[in-house]
Amino acid sequence: YFQEALLTFNGGNWYGWKKTDSDGNKIPNDQRMTYANIKVINLGSSCFYPKKSKQPIKESFLLTGSLEKTNEAYALAKIVGLKMCEFYNSQYNRTYLTLMPCNLYGPNDNFDKEKSHFLPALIKKVIQNKKEYNKSIEIWGTGKPKREVMHVDDLASAIGFILIKKIKKDKKLLRLIKRSSVINVGSGVEYTISNFAKIISKLLNNNNKLSFNKKYPDGTMRKILDSSLIRNLGWKPKIEIKEGLKETINWYKKNYLK
């Protein structure tokens, strides 16, 4: 099945090729979209949704309110890709779609001090706190916001699941895409930032107390996706949070604490 092309949209360019033309030549960029058998899955983000969305967040809530200001530029740039899929579908009768994952984590995550997301940042903080013998673990904000997270391998399995259904021309999926080219992909499990820090601390045998630096903003207080559409198609995540965090922690230790 995976001999068909899976294209990913990024920064205004489509990456990926239909294998070749009849003479064995790669198909140039300006001709790619003329081939009806190209399969496109665009990857979005839960930050696309309005800051004050009702919970859990349904696909239909997209563009119904203001975005979170701290990631508005990123969200708008990605929404362009999502809308492009919609317009190709309406103009050229395609079945392109956007998968909207919740917060992701796992091996090969970005643990940079300035650029990492909250979960790799927490892992790094708890490990460094123990190494430096500090008395408390500083958490930015109040620790009260809730976040839904999913292991990156579960997202990979969702992409493969949808791609195979597209290649098989699954009628249920095709009917769904006609109604909505956006499909949420989440774990359905959420914890507060504080609870995530406690879970990571326990996995690392760090018994220090948490301290909350309220000078930093909390951001959106809750953000859990309604993933019933993809669940109804037959997909569900498999990696439990403690199992996934343990794997991620071990990867970090192996690659950063040499």
Side-chain angles (χ1 to χ4, degrees):
Y1 295 119
F2 291 94
Q3 289 181 355
E4 295 278 352
L6 169 62
L7 301 183
T8 303
F9 180 75
N10 183 23
N13 296 299
W14 290 101
Y15 293 96
W17 296 95
K18 181 180 181 293
K19 274 185 135 183
T20 54
D21 61 19
S22 58
D23 296 320
N25 301 310
K26 282 185 176 180
I27 300 164
N29 291 358
D30 60 355
Q31 295 178 24
R32 289 182 190 179
M33 294 305 167
T34 64
Y35 290 83
N37 66 338
I38 289 178
K39 315 300 177 187
V40 174
I41 297 177
N42 179 42
L43 294 181
S45 168
S46 58
C47 75
F48 283 23
Y49 290 111
K51 179 178 181 178
K52 296 181 180 180
S53 287
K54 293 180 182 179
Q55 306 291 323
I57 303 170
K58 297 179 180 291
E59 290 86 350
S60 59
F61 295 170
L62 183 70
L63 297 176
T64 58
S66 299
L67 300 167
E68 162 62 42
K69 287 295 181 184
T70 57
N71 56 28
E72 184 178 24
Y74 170 78
L76 287 171
K78 296 285 279 183
I79 287 170
V80 170
L82 179 155
K83 299 303 288 186
M84 192 166 98
C85 287
E86 287 187 5
F87 296 141
Y88 268 112
N89 290 350
S90 61
Q91 186 171 351
Y92 297 108
N93 194 30
R94 299 292 191 258
T95 57
Y96 303 159
L97 61 85
T98 297
L99 294 183
M100 303 280 265
C102 62
N103 287 52
L104 300 173
Y105 73 97
N108 291 295
D109 208 334
N110 182 359
F111 290 88
D112 182 84
K113 183 179 179 181
E114 303 295 332
K115 300 177 182 178
S116 63
H117 288 174
F118 85 93
L119 209 49
L122 284 177
I123 290 171
K124 187 172 184 176
K125 277 189 176 183
V126 175
I127 289 174
Q128 287 184 335
N129 173 271
K130 190 172 182 180
K131 282 183 67 181
E132 295 167 3
Y133 302 101
N134 293 328
K135 293 182 179 180
S136 65
I137 305 165
E138 183 188 65
I139 307 297
W140 288 2
T142 65
K144 294 178 181 179
K146 292 182 176 180
R147 290 293 180 266
E148 176 186 25
V149 301
M150 182 172 66
H151 194 284
V152 66
D153 286 354
D154 277 329
L155 175 61
S157 77
I159 294 170
F161 173 84
I162 292 294
L163 180 59
I164 288 172
K165 281 192 170 293
K166 281 174 65 65
I167 291 167
K168 288 184 173 181
K169 298 181 180 179
D170 181 87
K171 291 182 179 179
K172 191 172 182 180
L173 175 63
L174 295 180
R175 285 197 300 268
L176 174 60
I177 294 172
K178 283 185 179 295
R179 299 199 313 270
S180 170
S181 63
V182 180
I183 301 177
N184 288 338
V185 186
S187 65
V189 178
E190 63 176 348
Y191 294 99
T192 63
I193 302 296
S194 176
N195 281 340
F196 276 115
K198 290 174 182 177
I199 292 168
I200 292 166
S201 295
K202 189 172 183 179
L203 289 172
L204 286 162
N205 297 313
N206 187 332
N207 297 318
N208 285 344
K209 291 183 179 181
L210 304 179
S211 64
F212 299 95
N213 189 337
K214 297 178 183 179
K215 292 180 181 179
Y216 291 95
D218 279 329
T220 305
M221 291 304 293
R222 191 183 183 211
K223 195 167 61 171
I224 186 168
L225 298 176
D226 181 336
S227 299
S228 57
L229 291 182
I230 195 167
R231 293 287 202 284
N232 290 338
L233 290 172
W235 177 87
K236 63 181 180 180
K238 296 180 179 179
I239 301 173
E240 193 268 338
I241 183 65
K242 290 182 181 178
E243 174 193 348
L245 284 174
K246 191 180 296 184
E247 179 193 13
T248 306
I249 289 167
N250 289 338
W251 184 90
Y252 176 85
K253 287 180 174 179
K254 182 179 179 182
N255 289 275
Y256 284 88
L257 303 182
K258 295 179 181 179

